[in-house]
Amino acid sequence: MKVNRTKVSRMKQVGLLAVSLFAIACGEKKNDNNQQAEVALEQVKEEMNHQMGAAVATLEKYKKGDVVPKELVCMVNDAYMGKEQLKVEYEGKVYYGCCAMCQSRIPEDETVRQAKDPFTLEIVDKADAYLVLIGDNGEVAYFKNEANYQQFVAEAQVN
């Protein structure tokens, strides 16, 4: 039986994170400090979701087609995260990432700062874009402006 190495690697990472969470939670019970355990849990949850490529938050506040605030989106994963992300300033613009890896990648990798406008297919800077929730799992799209988004929706309804 052939085993997918990527899948095994992810399973190992998830297992390691789970063991870490258990150790942290058990240690926190001794100290009776639930706040630190909750912070640790949130960090592990974010890392697990980052590894799996999924949004952390549920889509309670926004639905498909809604404009979402930039600060609630990991611009590296192109995902609505439901809470304020880590701010990264680069060349006078503001981007957002969900973890330290995303923070370091934004200034180093031009491709994570850019996206294609789904209507015009032109490259847009994510810091300047009009962000819209397009998927059931937090996926977002970057439009050059609201007019492009409105035209995109209008054409989709015609077809």
Side-chain angles (χ1 to χ4, degrees):
M1 183 167 111
K2 193 174 188 178
V3 178
N4 182 336
R5 288 179 187 242
T6 304
K7 195 178 243 182
V8 170
S9 176
R10 280 192 179 166
M11 288 172 39
K12 285 180 182 177
Q13 289 173 345
V14 169
L16 180 61
L17 290 170
V19 169
S20 299
L21 173 61
F22 180 77
I24 290 167
C26 288
E28 293 308 320
K29 284 181 187 174
K30 290 177 186 171
N31 295 333
D32 204 19
N33 189 341
N34 290 335
Q35 186 177 12
Q36 286 181 344
E38 288 175 13
V39 169
L41 174 63
E42 188 63 28
Q43 289 172 341
V44 169
K45 184 177 166 186
E46 284 182 23
E47 185 60 30
M48 287 175 68
N49 283 316
H50 181 72
Q51 292 291 331
M52 301 307 228
V56 172
T58 59
L59 304 178
E60 296 165 359
K61 189 172 180 179
Y62 297 97
K63 63 184 184 316
K64 272 198 223 179
D66 286 349
V67 176
V68 291
K70 293 175 186 176
E71 64 270 11
L72 303 182
V73 171
C74 174
M75 293 181 173
V76 175
N77 292 309
D78 302 325
Y80 165 76
M81 303 301 272
K83 68 175 192 172
E84 192 162 331
Q85 299 301 291
L86 302 170
K87 185 176 181 178
V88 180
E89 293 184 34
Y90 179 75
E91 293 187 350
K93 295 185 178 187
V94 178
Y95 302 88
Y96 295 90
C98 65
C99 65
M101 193 243 3
C102 291
Q103 273 186 306
S104 65
R105 196 161 165 214
I106 289 169
E108 295 171 0
D109 186 353
E110 180 180 36
T111 62
V112 300
R113 296 188 308 269
Q114 298 175 340
K116 272 191 183 177
D117 180 314
F119 180 67
T120 63
L121 302 180
E122 66 184 300
I123 299 295
V124 296
D125 190 303
K126 291 179 180 181
D128 300 327
Y130 186 79
L131 280 69
V132 178
L133 190 62
I134 60 165
D136 293 325
N137 296 313
E139 301 90 347
V140 297
Y142 302 85
F143 290 86
K144 183 175 182 177
N145 51 42
E146 184 180 3
N148 282 9
Y149 172 62
Q150 296 300 334
Q151 289 178 311
F152 179 79
V153 170
E155 284 192 16
Q157 290 176 352
V158 171
N159 295 328

